[in-house]
């Protein structure tokens, strides 16, 4: 996963950002103002992504952004400012994306995922217990033996695994795997999940009651 630096002066928001990013496996560092963020940039390796609050005390996020852009570090601005001019300014100066407060965790994770997909190589695979997924080769192994999956089954498993530990709705899975124009029903997702469980075991994919499914990294552990 990625190394992400959060620069946010409000402790509660900083904690929420950190919690959700770490939940899906990212390494997270935190700074409460621009000065601390600059010190961290000098003292350690560059992060894969910087999540910057615009309205920081003292030096604001727009000014701080220059230090990250000079090192070609992608930026996701987080702000309560709703003016279009502010968002346009941030994007024109080189930020990858913008998210407005208050935000839904799913939106935050989706925006982070999209930025990382554009700016760095995706993880090539995932190993959880006896399960191994090779995203590039589109292969799945269980205890060293290859599992035969249809194209849709693999795409569904890969989508869940890449967003591991995050609950995904049936509608989100349907549109992400089958496409927005697909005329089928969410029951299609349930059928494919049932087939996947029959091939890789039931523990890896959890049902989220009245919502959807979640890939659980601990599913294959005793």
């Amino acid at each position: 996963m990625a190394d992400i630096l959060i620069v946010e002066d409000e402790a509660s928001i900083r904690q929420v950002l950190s919690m959700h990013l770490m939940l899906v496996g990212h390494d997270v560092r935190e700074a409460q103002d621009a000065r601390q963020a600059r010190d961290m940039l000098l003292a350690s390796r560059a992060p894969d992504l910087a999540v910057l609050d615009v309205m920081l005390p003292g030096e604001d996020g727009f000014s701080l952004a220059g230090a990250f852009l000079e090192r070609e570090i992608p930026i996701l601005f987080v702000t309560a400012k709703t003016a279009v001019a502010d968002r346009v300014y941030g994007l024109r100066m080189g930020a990858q994306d913008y998210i407005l407060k208050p935000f839904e965790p799913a939106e935050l994770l989706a925006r982070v995922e999209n930025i990382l997909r554009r700016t760095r190589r995706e993880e090539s695979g995932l190993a959880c217990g006896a399960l191994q997924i090779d995203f590039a080769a589109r292969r799945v192994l269980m205890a060293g033996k290859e599992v035969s999956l249809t194209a849709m089954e693999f795409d569904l498993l890969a989508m869940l695994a890449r967003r591991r530990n995050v609950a995904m709705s049936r509608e989100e899975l349907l549109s992400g795997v089958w496409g927005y124009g697909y005329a089928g029903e969410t029951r299609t997702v349930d059928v494919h999940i049932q087939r996947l469980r029959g091939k890789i075991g039931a523990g890896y994919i959890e049902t989220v009651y009245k919502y959807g499914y979640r890939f659980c990294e601990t599913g294959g552990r005793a």
Side-chain angles (χ1 to χ4, degrees):
M1 301 302 279
D3 178 20
I4 299 177
L5 175 59
I6 298 171
V7 188
E8 167 64 61
D9 63 306
E10 293 187 44
S12 60
I13 296 177
R14 199 166 61 243
Q15 290 168 3
V16 168
L17 286 165
S18 295
M19 178 184 67
H20 288 291
L21 290 170
M22 288 190 294
L23 185 64
V24 296
H26 295 301
D27 294 322
V28 177
R29 290 178 279 164
E30 300 179 13
Q32 62 184 6
D33 56 31
R35 181 175 180 178
Q36 187 178 13
R38 288 182 180 276
D39 289 343
M40 293 175 73
L41 271 181
L42 293 174
S44 58
R45 70 181 182 89
D48 298 307
L49 172 66
V51 180
L52 303 184
D53 181 20
V54 172
M55 300 175 66
L56 293 170
E59 183 183 6
D60 67 19
F62 287 145
S63 175
L64 174 62
F68 291 89
L69 295 173
E70 286 175 1
R71 299 179 63 174
E72 298 183 345
I73 299 169
I75 294 171
L76 170 62
F77 277 124
V78 180
T79 184
K81 289 186 174 183
T82 58
V84 173
D86 290 317
R87 299 200 297 275
V88 170
Y89 179 75
L91 293 171
R92 281 182 173 171
M93 73 182 300
Q96 290 286 331
D97 205 349
Y98 225 103
I99 188 170
L100 297 178
K101 301 176 184 176
F103 53 83
E104 291 293 331
E107 180 186 4
L108 166 72
L109 294 174
R111 290 182 184 275
V112 166
E113 182 180 324
N114 286 340
I115 292 173
L116 293 174
R117 185 181 297 117
R118 293 195 302 266
T119 59
R120 67 194 287 264
R121 293 182 62 186
E122 291 186 359
E123 58 186 341
S124 60
L126 175 68
C128 296
L131 177 66
Q132 294 178 283
I133 306 172
D134 186 330
F135 296 121
R138 296 179 65 86
R139 295 180 67 204
V140 174
L141 303 178
M142 277 295 296
K145 296 182 179 180
E146 188 158 359
V147 179
S148 179
L149 299 181
T150 67
M152 289 300 187
E153 288 169 351
F154 180 86
D155 289 343
L156 181 58
L157 177 61
M159 188 173 186
L160 285 163
R162 285 191 169 113
R163 299 279 297 279
R164 49 194 173 274
N165 301 322
V166 176
M168 301 187 70
S169 70
R170 289 176 174 84
E171 290 78 12
E172 187 176 6
L173 292 167
L174 189 68
S175 63
V177 175
W178 282 267
Y180 287 101
Y182 182 69
E185 299 179 352
T186 54
R187 176 63 183 163
T188 300
V189 176
D190 298 332
V191 170
H192 279 74
I193 290 291
Q194 185 177 4
R195 291 174 182 167
L196 270 176
R197 285 171 169 166
K199 294 180 179 182
I200 67 171
Y204 290 101
I205 303 175
E206 298 179 338
T207 299
V208 181
Y209 183 63
K210 289 187 176 180
Y211 186 75
Y213 297 96
R214 173 175 51 228
F215 184 90
C216 180
E217 285 187 286
T218 60
R221 299 176 189 173

